[in-house]
Amino acid sequence: MKKGYELLIFDWDGTLADSIGRIVEAMNVAAERAGEAQSSDAAVKGIIGLALDEAIHTLYPHLAPAEVASFRQHYADVYVALDQQPSPLFDGVVESLDAFRAEGYRLAVATGKARRGLDRVLKANGWERFFDITRAADETRGKPHPLMLEEILGHCGVEPSRALMVGDSAFDLQMASNAGMHSVAVGYGAMSLQALAEFGPQVCIDHFSQLREWLGGSAIPLPR
């Protein structure tokens, strides 16, 4: 723990799990079923990280609450069908999480997914063994509100200065800042490193294994 962090908190989709393409496809099929125009891939990637209702409202602000609920159900039906085999973790994630555990870090997840969906993918693969606590958007406040992180910090008994949020979206990094925490931006998920660098992460990485290198003392330059 050369940089002094005790607790590493990870976003799920686009940070640990290679699921961005599946989310985009599910959102666009759901739009078709709901009788709405499909959004661009860039627009859908721009809402990944938000709680689902807020994400739908952001893409389709004209929808009434009942229509958002119907759209949400379409999305859930499509995503579960697409995710019969849960999205794989990115290269290097399993090995790195095992190493972090061996090195004494505490690990957590803070995700815009719903609890039901998160539990499904964790239990299907035995991935729950990695984490001290996980928080999902439908059981707390959604990103970028800091409550999700505050609950994780309280559970683990760790001060914000000793915790690190790792994510692929502006909402992740804003949430960390709102909680008084440092963050790491990953550039292989929803947003580019160039866009994420504007939100003040401690470091930007383009492969998950670089996180362990950086925590161990290696220098990784910010994107140009």
Side-chain angles (χ1 to χ4, degrees), residues 118-171:
L118 179 62
D119 282 349
R120 178 174 55 82
V121 297
L122 289 175
K123 292 175 181 177
N125 296 279
W127 292 333
E128 70 266 38
R129 67 186 173 87
F130 290 122
F131 306 109
D132 292 87
I133 181 176
T134 61
R135 297 300 286 161
D138 61 343
E139 61 191 8
T140 183
R141 294 288 297 273
K143 302 173 185 180
H145 194 281
L147 182 59
M148 193 182 301
L149 294 182
E150 292 166 352
E151 291 170 345
I152 292 171
L153 292 169
H155 174 87
C156 294
V158 174
E159 293 297 317
S161 62
R162 303 282 286 177
L164 188 69
M165 177 69 205
V166 183
D168 69 314
S169 78
F171 308 115

Side-chain angles (χ1 to χ4, degrees), residues 85-114:
Q85 177 62 40
S87 299
L89 301 184
F90 285 105
D91 289 345
V93 168
V94 171
E95 297 84 353
S96 295
L97 295 181
D98 276 330
F100 291 143
R101 275 296 193 193
E103 292 162 8
Y105 288 101
R106 303 186 73 178
L107 308 179
V109 168
T111 180
K113 295 178 82 67

